[in-house]
Amino acid sequence: MNQAIKVRRRAFSVVPDDILADERLSWRARVLLAWMLGRSPDFDLRIWYIRKVFRISQQQWVKARKEMQAVGYFQQERIQGEKGRLQWVHFVTDTPEPPSPQKPPNGKPCDGEQSDGSPIHGE
């Protein structure tokens, strides 16, 4: 007779060693990243839930998120959602991608003025 065997074990994550050893990230950021990557693709991951599980403040989350973004593990973008409302979409990956440039090429913050694309000469 063919009988099914049920496996009972705790949930666990498999995380690439290079993520755990990535010295560009703090220990907090590495742990958060490893935990997020260990969730199944259909897991509804929410920032408030991550903060609750790890008992971290908003400031601690922002600091870790910025570390992960700087290296390319975490990305966010604004999209136009239902009813035309803008919303943030967040992505986490185990393969770091170069982050999008946050500053204009000359390193100066944008002031909202339109540019014709010509170079801005030094002051």
Side-chain angles (χ1 to χ4, degrees), residues 1-7:
M1 182 184 270
N2 192 5
Q3 295 181 335
I5 299 172
K6 293 192 179 207
V7 177

Side-chain angles (χ1 to χ4, degrees), residues 66-78:
K66 285 181 178 180
E67 287 180 43
M68 292 183 282
Q69 276 182 294
V71 179
Y73 289 112
F74 190 93
Q75 296 142 20
Q76 59 184 12
E77 62 183 61
R78 283 193 98 155

Side-chain angles (χ1 to χ4, degrees), residues 18 74 83-84 92:
D18 60 321
F74 190 93
K83 300 179 184 176
V92 67

Side-chain angles (χ1 to χ4, degrees), residues 20-113:
L20 297 175
D22 193 336
E23 293 180 352
R24 299 173 296 176
L25 300 174
S26 66
W27 279 103
R28 175 177 286 132
R30 288 184 228 180
V31 169
L32 292 171
L33 177 60
W35 184 83
M36 287 189 291
L37 291 171
R39 305 307 91 191
S40 65
D42 60 336
F43 189 86
D44 192 17
L45 194 55
R46 305 283 182 166
I47 293 169
W48 68 264
Y49 184 71
I50 296 167
R51 289 186 47 225
K52 178 182 172 187
V53 168
F54 289 96
R55 296 181 178 147
I56 60 173
S57 69
Q58 178 68 21
Q59 293 79 16
Q60 290 169 319
W61 161 255
V62 169
K63 184 177 178 184
R65 175 184 51 84
K66 285 181 178 180
E67 287 180 43
M68 292 183 282
Q69 276 182 294
V71 179
Y73 289 112
F74 190 93
Q75 296 142 20
Q76 59 184 12
E77 62 183 61
R78 283 193 98 155
I79 62 166
Q80 193 164 356
E82 295 179 19
K83 300 179 184 176
R85 296 178 69 177
L86 292 176
Q87 62 187 30
W88 285 105
V89 178
H90 307 277
F91 304 93
V92 67
T93 180
D94 63 351
T95 308
E97 299 175 10
S100 301
Q102 298 295 318
K103 295 181 181 177
N106 65 5
K108 294 184 180 181
C110 295
D111 58 6
E113 297 291 323

